[in-house]
Amino acid sequence: MKENSEFIRRLYFRALFPNVIAVLGGTVNVFFDGIFIGRKLGDIGLESVNQCLPVYLLLCTIGSLYASGASFLSAHAVGENDAEKGTRFFQGALLDALLVGFVFCLAGFCLSGQLAALLGTASSYEYVRLYLRITLAGGVAKILLYLPYFYLRLEGKNRHAMTAMLTMTFLNIVLDYCFLFVWDFGIRGAAWASVIATVMAAGMSFAFLFAGKGSFRPGFRALRMSERAAVFRYGSPMAVNNVLSAARILVLNLILGSMGIPGLVSVFAIVNNLNEFSICIQNGVPQTAAAMVGIFHGEKDAKSVRSTINVELFAGTALSLVMAAFLTLFPAQIGQLFGSSTDCAFAIRCLAASLVFATANNVMSYSYNAIGQLAAANAVTVCRGFAAVAAFALIFRGLSEKIWLFYPCAEIFTLVLICIGSAWTARKKQLIPFYLIDDALERNGNSTSFAVLCEDGEICEASEKIQAFCGQNRFTPKETMAISLAIEELLTIITHKSCPPEGFMDVRVLASKERRILRIRSGGKRYNPVEAQDESLDYMGVKMICALAQKTEYLSALGVNTLIIYL
């Protein structure tokens, strides 16, 4: 037997690459828009797209508010074995996002002239107005795209999400090139390329989500006020992050523009594009685990929550270092890629220096969100998303071209605050420092979890060793026998019928005052041994377990099978 972190590592890394690619697909559109527009329309076109980002991010805010809030609540419901409740949050968020998105986009379209005057300059006004009108014409698709994207991860369909987002990326690049360089549509072409690609991705994502025997079906359902409030609470960290990103871009444009140094605003446009590109790591790493952490929290499995966060921090650090090294080594070439003649090497290297800290901050923000520590999640978001950045930009304003030091300083400052604030909160509420989770069940010896290799010898060893835990928690001889038998028989049939070779199964036994609970989580094809049992000798042990159990429950989430036995 091994620590259950082995199962979690395998589950996480299986989903990491598809999810990072999926996030990259969502952010690379902005990146390539910047490259193509910069090369075709010059600095003024590049600045115009950057000036439109606040409105684009507001679309992201609405989408992420409903999608992240509803998906976290659905994950908790899955962890509590209430699939109907999880579906209700999905269908309610779908209806709300559709209605709110339509109203927002219609209002923005009608007010595009006023928005362009606010966000742009005299020279960029017309570009900004045209780009905004087209973006808002297809804005509902951008908002709705978030829902299937989040719920595909909850279903374990990470490769499907990756396929949809890569299709969007490929289509956007092809259309960008054709509309800008072949047919010379100007800024309109870049905007229409993004809209068409986003509509295609949204359609594909919903089709993938509803295909097969998924848990979340199409339909609309009105949320109760208490449910909507819960969605807003859990969605607030991501939504606030998007709002503050828009505010940060606006404020930094003003600060840099007021310094009177030629080229600073266009350098910021390039660095901001690179920062959006790096979101595939900054957000991709924690988003991979968001549903996992939510389900584990719903199960009150603090050990698995902590193991998942540790895996995220390790993966995030490694990937951030790779990207930081690339940015540090080739800043001049990156600037030339955007068609800019301004020296942006120092600014790019400052961004590179911030990436490891930025990813760690995002990991903790997402994790706090998933476990219901919403005040901590929002505090991290506000600090790194706006307050610290704006403060350090103002502090370093007098350093001229060295102002870009605000990037690493803001992220380091935020991480220090996380360490100090979480230590204070943990001591006050008796939680694990830094992680802010309650491990009372594990600390009191009422829960144990471990990973078992899909091999008969390991299964027999696990069946024998669990008896020590049963003795410590005063299980009756009948309960001890039932738990031991259930582990041996169920793990054996799962190994032979479903689990892939050299795979692991995650086992957890919980001793509550009311009853004893055994949870078995396994990979492989969709398989429920209780439902699949027949009259053959293979299922004799399963029949015995069903006779001893008060009830059994099965669910499929995260792309794995979960079987729960109540004794």
Side-chain angles (χ1 to χ4, degrees):
M1 294 189 299
K2 294 188 177 183
E3 286 290 317
N4 77 324
S5 56
E6 178 67 28
F7 181 87
I8 289 170
R9 275 196 297 271
R10 292 194 176 202
L11 181 62
Y12 178 80
F13 283 111
R14 186 182 71 185
L16 177 60
F17 179 73
N19 196 66
V20 167
I21 296 300
V23 177
L24 178 62
T27 60
V28 80
N29 289 339
V30 177
F31 181 75
F32 275 100
D33 273 354
I35 292 175
F36 285 129
I37 291 171
R39 286 189 166 272
K40 179 65 177 179
L41 304 175
D43 284 348
I44 187 64
L46 193 60
E47 290 176 16
S48 299
V49 173
N50 196 50
Q51 288 162 347
C52 291
L53 272 180
V55 173
Y56 175 84
L57 289 170
L58 288 177
L59 295 175
C60 298
T61 298
I62 299 172
S64 62
L65 175 67
Y66 284 105
S68 63
S71 64
F72 279 128
L73 291 165
S74 292
H76 293 172
V78 170
E80 296 163 357
N81 308 311
D82 191 345
E84 172 60 26
K85 182 179 179 182
T87 300
R88 187 167 68 249
F89 278 116
F90 167 73
Q91 294 180 343
L94 178 60
L95 177 61
D96 269 23
L98 182 63
L99 295 176
V100 173
F102 176 78
V103 172
F104 176 86
C105 291
L106 180 62
F109 185 88
C110 295
L111 299 172
S112 56
Q114 292 89 327
L115 288 172
L118 174 65
L119 299 172
T121 61
S123 57
S124 67
Y125 170 83
E126 189 59 25
Y127 276 178
V128 173
R129 187 183 69 85
L130 288 173
Y131 198 90
L132 284 178
R133 286 175 68 87
I134 296 170
T135 298
L136 289 165
V140 173
K142 179 63 183 176
I143 291 170
L144 292 182
L145 176 61
Y146 277 84
L147 273 164
Y149 175 69
F150 273 77
Y151 277 88
L152 282 169
R153 289 205 308 273
L154 187 53
E155 289 273 55
K157 296 181 178 180
N158 293 284
R159 293 187 182 276
H160 293 80
M162 179 182 71
T163 300
M165 301 308 283
L166 285 180
T167 300
M168 180 175 72
T169 300
F170 177 77
L171 185 59
N172 184 66
I173 292 172
V174 171
L175 292 177
D176 259 338
Y177 178 80
C178 291
F179 289 169
L180 281 168
F181 293 94
V182 178
W183 295 310
D184 198 20
F185 288 166
I187 197 79
R188 294 184 184 88
W192 276 119
S194 294
V195 167
I196 294 170
T198 301
V199 170
M200 177 66 73
M204 288 180 64
S205 297
F206 276 110
F208 287 145
L209 181 64
F210 297 146
K213 297 181 179 179
S215 302
F216 304 101
R217 312 310 304 165
F220 298 111
R221 192 179 307 190
L223 291 171
R224 295 190 289 266
M225 289 304 298
S226 59
E227 293 171 335
R228 186 173 290 108
V231 169
F232 288 170
R233 285 199 307 274
Y234 277 88
S236 61
M238 277 200 68
V240 168
N241 182 59
N242 284 317
V243 170
L244 293 180
S245 294
R248 182 179 68 242
I249 292 169
L250 186 62
V251 168
L252 288 176
N253 272 323
L254 291 173
I255 293 173
L256 295 169
S258 70
M259 292 172 64
I261 301 175
L264 274 189
V265 175
S266 61
V267 169
F268 175 56
I270 293 171
V271 176
N272 194 56
N273 267 276
L274 293 173
N275 188 47
E276 288 295 314
F277 186 79
S278 73
I279 291 298
C280 67
I281 295 173
Q282 292 186 40
N283 286 359
V285 167
Q287 282 183 13
T288 302
M292 293 171 60
V293 174
I295 290 176
F296 296 151
H297 177 66
E299 295 174 346
K300 295 180 174 59
D301 188 353
K303 183 179 178 182
S304 293
V305 171
R306 184 166 50 181
S307 295
T308 305
I309 294 173
N310 289 340
V311 173
E312 290 179 79
L313 291 171
F314 171 80
T317 299
L319 291 174
S320 296
L321 286 173
V322 171
M323 179 170 278
F326 180 80
L327 295 178
T328 302
L329 291 173
F330 304 105
Q333 292 83 345
I334 292 170
Q336 292 168 7
L337 183 65
F338 284 87
S340 176
S341 58
T342 308
D343 182 10
C344 54
F346 184 75
I348 292 175
R349 284 175 173 145
C350 284
L351 174 67
S354 73
L355 289 182
V356 170
F357 306 103
T359 303
N361 289 332
N362 269 338
V363 165
M364 298 317 300
S365 178
Y366 272 85
S367 300
Y368 292 154
N369 194 7
I371 63 177
Q373 295 289 349
L374 303 180
N378 279 312
V380 174
T381 299
V382 170
C383 186
R384 71 168 300 270
F386 181 77
V389 171
F392 279 104
L394 288 172
I395 291 171
F396 296 142
R397 187 174 181 275
L399 297 180
S400 188
E401 286 88 351
K402 305 297 183 184
I403 187 175
W404 308 107
L405 288 168
F406 70 77
Y407 274 115
C409 289
E411 298 293 357
I412 293 170
F413 178 78
T414 301
L415 189 57
V416 170
L417 283 186
I418 288 174
C419 295
I420 296 172
S422 64
W424 181 83
T425 302
R427 185 171 61 251
K428 182 180 178 181
K429 297 183 178 181
Q430 295 185 325
L431 304 173
I432 300 177
F434 193 63
Y435 302 93
L436 296 183
I437 49 179
D438 183 359
D439 66 338
L441 289 173
E442 288 86 355
R443 191 172 62 248
N444 296 331
N446 300 129
S447 173
T448 185
S449 57
F450 47 87
V452 180
L453 183 66
C454 295
E455 191 269 325
D456 290 347
E458 280 232 358
I459 293 171
C460 290
E461 182 184 349
S463 178
E464 293 172 1
K465 287 190 174 181
I466 199 62
Q467 296 180 27
F469 172 82
C470 296
Q472 293 168 5
N473 285 275
R474 299 180 181 179
F475 282 34
T476 66
K478 181 180 178 180
E479 290 171 337
T480 301
M481 183 271 292
I483 289 288
S484 181
L485 179 65
I487 289 177
E488 182 172 354
E489 294 295 334
L490 292 173
L491 266 61
T492 298
I493 194 71
I494 291 170
T495 295
H496 293 164
K497 301 288 186 179
S498 172
C499 213
E502 299 183 358
F504 279 87
M505 291 172 284
D506 180 34
V507 178
R508 186 184 187 219
V509 180
L510 179 64
S512 67
K513 294 181 180 179
E514 297 79 17
R515 53 189 172 185
R516 316 309 189 185
I517 301 173
L518 168 65
R519 184 210 67 198
I520 301 170
R521 187 172 279 130
S522 62
K525 64 182 181 181
R526 190 183 181 101
Y527 177 68
N528 177 3
V530 174
E531 184 182 76
Q533 62 179 307
D534 53 32
E535 297 305 318
S536 67
L537 293 177
D538 289 349
Y539 288 97
M540 183 178 295
V542 177
K543 291 182 181 295
M544 294 172 61
I545 300 305
C546 291
L548 291 169
Q550 294 181 15
K551 68 172 182 175
T552 65
E553 291 181 341
Y554 168 85
L555 59 92
S556 176
L558 304 174
V560 299
N561 302 290
T562 300
L563 180 63
I564 303 170
I565 311 295
Y566 299 88
L567 297 169

